[in-house]
Amino acid sequence: MSLTATAKAGPRRPAGTGPGPDDGRAAALRRTWRKASPYAYIAPFFTLFLAFGLFPLLYTAFVSLYRVELQTSGEMEWRGLANYTALFSDEFFWTSLRNTFTIGVLSTVPQLAMALGLAHLLNYKLRGRTFIRTAILLPYATSVAAATLVFAQLFGRDFGLINYVIGLVGFDPVDWQTGTVASQIAVSTIVIWRWTGYNALIYLAGMQSIPHELYEAAEMDGASRWRQFIHVTLPGLRPTIIFTVIISTIGATQLFGEPLLFEGSISGGISHQYQTLGLYMYEQGWGFFHLGRAAAIAWVMFVLIVVIVGVNALIVRRRTRKEAGR
Amino acid sequence: MTALAAPPTAPGKDGPPQTPPPGRRLRKRGAGRTMKGGWLSYVILGFALLISAFPFYWTIVAASRSNADMAQVPPSLLPGPNLIKNFEQVLEEADIGKALLNSLIVSSSITLGTVLCCTLAGFAFAKLKFKGRGALLTLTIGTMMIPPQLGVIPLFMLIAELQWVNQLQAVILPGLVSAFGVFFMRQYLVQSLPDELIEAARVDGASTARIFWSIVIPIARPGMAVLGMLTFMTAWNDFFWPIIALSSQEPTVQVALRQLGGGYVNDQSVIMAGTLLGTLPVLLVFGLLGRQIVGGIMQGAVKG
């Protein structure tokens, strides 16, 4: 019997060779299992992924065309695009869209700029390097809820530490909760505090994969440290920068916990002055029970993310290309 | 063009294992720059550390004082005597004890399940040949960039349909879906699991299951540990989905913190005591394994 021989043919068996005439049943079975068994390995993940990942994502667009109320989420009533028209005629939608954009810029730009600077410093030979890296990542390990509660107190109008420090320098206290610009700066500060260290480490990882010879060559050509940074580090970091810009943009569009807990209201301040799209969606869905409307907002957010990420990536690509080409 | 951080490789194309598995040392020799930092670097970094750490210090200060102390000008910057009292009060008023237990159950289950599912799938994507491998991997990676918030409404309808609202499985099961985890484990195994090893085992007549158990798991362990830590932290800190799926009767720590901050308790120092309790477990994990977490984030960054 050549049974064992065929079984041993294993995975390297060229495709298209059917079972030989003297193949036993056991070998055929084993071969079928060889072909099918990889699917058993991905099955646990994909079952969950389809049910709780992919299906909800796709179904959102469908739900956004219906009237669905939270209390009776099993009943759906066709509304066509009415959810969207209602959305676009709601002034608070436009407010939250504007807020999302300003808070996004206010938090992302300084965050990434500072992260780049920090990464540059962390890349030097330093004493206690591991300690510094770990400590700088601490804010990332704190939850949105904890960080926001702490900062809400630091930003307190009457007894907050930040106003006290500002007072020492000689400025009037700022009303961080009610002022539009002030509250947006305060919310952005929480985001910056939590994410700068994380991004710095990502940049650092990118910097460490830039070949040493490039710096040596630049040194030979008499490039100053600053010029080395511009001409070697930045071009080398391009994919990493694009990556962080995309991640941060998505994060900024999703902002939810910080504005919700800054004062604990779902309207994002007394006149919605720092209500973001994420919070607006939550207010519509779980404050006013309009799940269909909330799904429409989610869908708008998705389109927004795709557009902003595309534009961002283009800008970064062109900027770094220009700098590299100089 | 310079040699860059490897962008995500095209799915379905496994390069040969080029680098040895990342060990304890993060720094690759001959890459990056090794200049000595001047005193100014220390000053700036010291300042950054101060800003990173100060909110933690201030939380301890605030949690150990009384509400009256918190309403003083100038604010006190030294810890006070009230820490235990505030802890007792927050345990009583906000049920933080139950919340901590729930968070522990949820985060541990999510961590175990995720690491298992992702190692299995990552292994299949890295080392097994099957029809549709490229397409399925692309699909998985494609959803990595889509925030889970966007599917939250149908997900809630699904949970409501199953009558899981307010039950821990409503948070655990969706939490197991980690496209990042699959991608991470796949990259890890592509790099650190030599094909020859699997071939040799096959020649010896080992089944795939046997190979997975005796060869893949031992080699994948460091990667699994890193993924586990990151997953635990993310699960512990997750906020958006738990406050939708759970309520005050069955809270996780983050849900309880939301109630604390939602005007439910007016005593500032009690709120800070709750915040401190909710953050301590993660800080402990971080204190013990911070180095590995830093390594994990940096590895993930270079590869993805």
Side-chain angles (χ1 to χ4, degrees), chain B residues 78-254:
Chain B
L78 291 170
N82 278 344
L83 188 62
I84 305 298
K85 194 172 132 268
N86 285 335
F87 277 164
E88 281 169 357
Q89 211 170 336
V90 81
L91 284 170
E92 206 171 296
E93 284 183 39
D95 216 356
I96 291 274
K98 187 177 188 183
L100 282 166
L101 183 67
N102 277 345
S103 272
L104 196 65
I105 295 170
V106 166
S107 308
S108 312
S109 315
I110 288 180
T111 303
L112 287 173
T114 302
V115 170
L116 185 70
C117 286
C118 292
T119 309
L120 283 165
F123 163 62
F125 280 127
K127 297 292 165 184
L128 301 178
K129 310 256 185 297
F130 54 95
K131 264 209 179 64
R133 180 172 81 164
L136 286 174
L137 189 61
T138 311
L139 179 70
T140 310
I141 293 176
T143 59
M144 237 161 77
M145 286 289 174
I146 302 174
Q149 251 100 320
L150 300 183
V152 86
I153 290 110
L155 189 58
F156 179 79
M157 290 159 74
L158 184 69
I159 298 293
E161 196 65 37
L162 294 166
Q163 308 209 322
W164 283 0
V165 176
N166 238 338
Q167 296 181 21
L168 294 185
Q169 69 261 33
V171 178
I172 294 171
L173 282 164
L176 295 177
V177 179
S178 167
F180 164 78
V182 171
F183 178 68
F184 180 89
M185 283 320 292
R186 175 189 172 269
Q187 296 300 88
Y188 189 87
L189 288 170
V190 162
Q191 293 215 322
S192 52
L193 182 63
D195 282 337
E196 296 77 26
L197 210 56
I198 296 181
E199 290 299 327
R202 284 226 193 277
V203 171
D204 288 345
S207 64
T208 312
R210 178 73 204 278
I211 291 173
F212 181 77
W213 189 248
S214 333
I215 297 175
V216 178
I217 294 258
I219 286 183
R221 205 168 281 150
M224 289 163 83
V226 168
L227 178 63
M229 283 181 311
L230 291 176
T231 307
F232 188 90
M233 241 167 52
T234 313
W236 183 277
N237 289 337
D238 191 19
F239 180 72
F240 187 65
W241 178 240
I243 73 164
I244 286 172
L246 303 173
S247 77
S248 47
Q249 297 135 37
E250 202 59 64
T252 60
V253 167
Q254 311 307 330

Side-chain angles (χ1 to χ4, degrees), chain A residues 134 137-138 141, chain B residues 233 281-291 293:
Chain A
T134 314
L137 197 65
L138 260 185
Chain B
M233 241 167 52
V282 187
L283 287 187
L284 278 178
V285 171
F286 206 81
L288 293 170
L289 305 164
R291 236 179 108 164
I293 294 175

